Amino acid sequence: MELPFFHLYGEPPDPRAFNFVHAETIPSRCSLHDWRISVHRHANLLQILLIEHGGGEVQYETSMIPFHAPAIIVVPPTMAHGFHFQSSTSGWVVSFTEDVARTFGDAAGDTVARLKRLTMAPVVSIAENDMARLSDLSARLSEERLLSREGFNVAVNSYLALIAVEVGRLAIGRSGTAAHFNDAVIERLLELIESHFRSRRLLNFYAAKLAMTSDGLNKHVKRMTGVTAGQLIRRRVVTEAKRQLAFSDQPINEIAYDLAYADPSHFVRSFRKETGVTPRTFRTNAGRLA
């Protein structure tokens, strides 16, 4: 199947969207689709789901992850995701474009960067009192958008800032692996990998961009994340390979060349080394998701 892009679910993509903030209850959209949201992506929206009651499963790229209230789910831009909610589920979906962060006093984008780094652990269980506070902020944000009273833009962005900061704090508090969220080197490296992973595999390219030696970069990354810079690069390539295998009918040899492997056999060997299965087996298994 082809992986669709949406603005909000079911709406055509809007690559020009900016300064966009939206909040809606989970039932308002999901109940219209029998509580199933098919796997899709957003080009430029970051989403925070607040699960007040109920639960279900989230398909995050090619993994199925169960969740139970009260919990937070964070979906960064371009991440493939879908949901199967229990019909008793209630809560909020807060969506916004990254540029909004500049309007609430975070010019460096640190808050958004923290949220985007939750990719490896998108579901965060929280306490009921924390959920009550976030739900109240979301309701107030939604009210400001709907009523459009004088100064509503400032109010909307202020509520969004409080939600984003609070979610980041709760996620870091529940995870012992968040030490690198504020590390400028790691953040810049991840940005560079995202821009160049298809064609640049060698560590010295990234080290030069960061004005570091390859050895120094590897040691820093290992100290902050527990893995080497080379592993981060390979992980991103494998993530893209998994995405294309699971959500497209593109032949495996074309995927290999698209990801700059010298030949398909090299791709097969590398993929099997990283995942334990061949690309063909992975594609077959991924077809059983949904």
Side-chain angles (χ1 to χ4, degrees):
M1 63 177 172
E2 294 298 324
L3 189 60
F5 273 100
F6 292 125
H7 182 48
L8 296 173
Y9 185 74
E11 300 178 2
D14 183 3
R16 296 173 296 179
F18 67 98
N19 197 28
F20 177 83
V21 182
H22 183 268
E24 65 182 13
T25 65
I26 289 174
S28 66
R29 191 172 301 251
C30 297
S31 62
L32 302 176
H33 300 277
D34 196 28
W35 298 94
R36 289 181 178 270
I37 301 298
S38 300
V39 65
H40 63 284
R41 288 190 284 175
H42 305 286
N44 52 3
L45 287 184
L46 193 152
Q47 293 189 310
I48 299 171
L49 286 84
L50 306 175
I51 313 300
E52 294 178 336
H53 302 286
E57 285 186 315
V58 54
Q59 180 173 342
Y60 210 69
E61 291 292 350
T62 56
S63 298
M64 297 296 292
I65 305 171
F67 60 88
H68 305 280
I72 301 164
I73 302 174
V74 177
V75 183
T78 77
M79 185 65 60
H81 63 286
F83 296 93
H84 181 196
F85 292 100
Q86 298 171 0
S87 58
S88 60
T89 302
S90 63
W92 290 89
V93 183
V94 178
S95 308
F96 60 98
T97 50
E98 294 181 49
D99 61 284
V100 178
R102 292 194 296 271
T103 70
F104 56 65
D106 187 10
D110 291 339
T111 300
V112 170
R114 292 188 188 96
L115 295 177
K116 290 171 71 177
R117 294 287 76 80
L118 294 177
T119 300
M120 300 302 294
V123 179
V124 180
S125 296
I126 64 172
E128 290 187 4
N129 61 320
D130 292 325
M131 178 57 69
R133 184 166 60 253
L134 287 168
S135 295
D136 179 64
L137 290 171
S138 299
R140 291 173 182 272
L141 188 161
S142 179
E143 180 183 55
E144 287 291 345
R145 284 190 68 256
L146 292 174
L147 296 181
S148 298
R149 297 171 295 196
E150 182 179 357
F152 79 96
N153 279 325
V154 175
V156 163
N157 290 344
S158 297
Y159 285 127
L160 175 62
L162 291 171
I163 293 167
V165 169
E166 183 70 7
V167 167
R169 287 172 176 171
L170 290 169
I172 292 173
R174 300 298 187 272
S175 170
T177 61
H180 67 281
F181 282 15
N182 287 322
D183 186 84
V185 171
I186 301 298
E187 294 299 333
R188 179 59 180 147
L189 173 62
L190 291 170
E191 290 175 2
L192 288 168
I193 290 173
E194 189 62 32
S195 298
H196 300 286
F197 73 90
R198 291 179 183 275
S199 58
R200 300 286 188 172
R201 303 280 206 276
L202 297 180
L203 182 59
N204 58 11
F205 168 82
Y206 296 97
K209 289 286 187 181
L210 293 166
M212 300 175 70
T213 65
S214 296
D215 185 56
L217 177 58
N218 243 346
K219 288 181 178 178
H220 181 84
V221 174
K222 179 74 171 179
R223 183 173 66 254
M224 298 300 295
T225 70
V227 299
T228 66
Q231 286 175 296
L232 289 181
I233 298 167
R234 290 192 295 275
R235 281 181 180 179
R236 183 61 186 91
V237 176
V238 169
T239 295
E240 189 64 26
K242 287 179 176 180
R243 181 182 289 172
Q244 293 188 38
L245 288 165
F247 303 122
S248 80
D249 297 322
Q250 189 176 10
I252 290 174
N253 64 325
E254 291 185 10
I255 294 174
Y257 291 125
D258 185 49
L259 294 175
Y261 284 92
D263 55 67
S265 62
H266 182 205
F267 170 58
V268 171
R269 290 194 303 271
S270 297
F271 188 88
R272 182 165 51 194
K273 181 178 180 181
E274 293 293 327
T275 67
V277 298
T278 65
R280 190 174 304 281
T281 298
F282 180 87
R283 171 170 273 173
T284 299
N285 292 340
R288 301 178 188 142
L289 290 175

